[in-house]
Amino acid sequence: MFDKQQKLSITEQQMPLARFYYGYPMHDLPEDVKAEIFGPPVDPDSVIRAENFLDWLKAPGEYEPRENAYCMFPDGSGYIATYMRFRKELDVKKLFWYLNWLNFHPKSQPEGTGNLRYKIWNPADHWDHYFINWTDKSEGIHTTESLDMGEGDRQYDTIRHGYSLRDYGLTQERIDRINDNPYGYKLAETAEWESFDFEGAHLTLGQIRPCPDGGFERRSVEWIGWRPKDGKIVRVEKTPCDEAYLRKVAYHTLIEWYHITELIDELWETYHALPNDAD
């Protein structure tokens, strides 16, 4: 169990939402998952290169050889993929609701203290999360977080920018092939890339999709040091990256996704019918 938490303001401590911050402790990852993300890196020739990023998108039941994996490429860019299965009884519509809801600050959130809705997802690292235009993701999403599970790293400001996968080579033929599955899964035709408060970029993809034997799973991947630009995937040379960073991001990502599934049922029941700014 992780006992490191950022200190909430007095006002935040008194908000009803604070019970999700204090009442749901984060737990460590299963040992087999930790062995993958803290083990040796995979061979870079065994993973999909950024230039071929659309090959990572797959129909339910299709997988990469290693779904939890990381490596450095010879040019200094990096690759990191994470994977988890949700408990079978989880209704994933609650997760999609949360991923929109956390972009609105509660009405009592004190200025300069971040966003408690985001902090409950990862109390050790999360600080702020909001739509750039305060309405929807069309102009990007701003995030402030650290990535080391409360070990003292500085907080980083990130903006996630949306773009159309069709503009970067996603064909109707590929869409039809992935969508031709017996589970009702439909491929998202948009994705995001990330910029930061330093020079650099990450190219990202993710899927939440049905498992063939029931329930749902989450796959994600990042190419560190790449971004979409003018119809091509281009290298952003000065993006910092090393193996230690990749392991740290994988650990942070997987722990927070395991954690949100523990509290999402009560959170959804409490807030999904209330106004977007409810405390």
Side-chain angles (χ1 to χ4, degrees), residues 150-198:
E151 292 298 322
D153 236 356
R154 79 171 179 91
Q155 293 177 338
Y156 296 88
D157 290 323
T158 303
I159 296 179
R160 299 207 307 274
H161 311 264
Y163 66 100
S164 169
L165 293 174
R166 286 182 180 267
D167 293 340
Y168 290 84
L170 181 63
T171 63
Q172 189 62 49
E173 180 182 7
R174 182 187 291 268
I175 294 169
D176 292 342
R177 187 191 70 77
I178 293 177
N179 289 351
D180 183 18
N181 65 83
Y183 312 106
Y185 173 74
K186 300 300 181 185
L187 180 68
E189 298 179 20
T190 58
E192 296 171 341
W193 67 276
E194 298 175 336
S195 62
F196 307 94
D197 56 3
F198 54 86

Side-chain angles (χ1 to χ4, degrees), residues 49 52 143 165 177 202 211 251 263:
R49 300 278 178 151
N52 304 316
T143 300
L165 293 174
R177 187 191 70 77
H202 294 185
C211 298
Y251 199 37
L263 59 86

Side-chain angles (χ1 to χ4, degrees), residues 59-74:
E62 298 177 345
Y63 300 93
E64 285 297 292
R66 281 274 300 273
E67 288 283 322
N68 280 317
Y70 72 95
C71 67
M72 295 291 295
F73 294 116

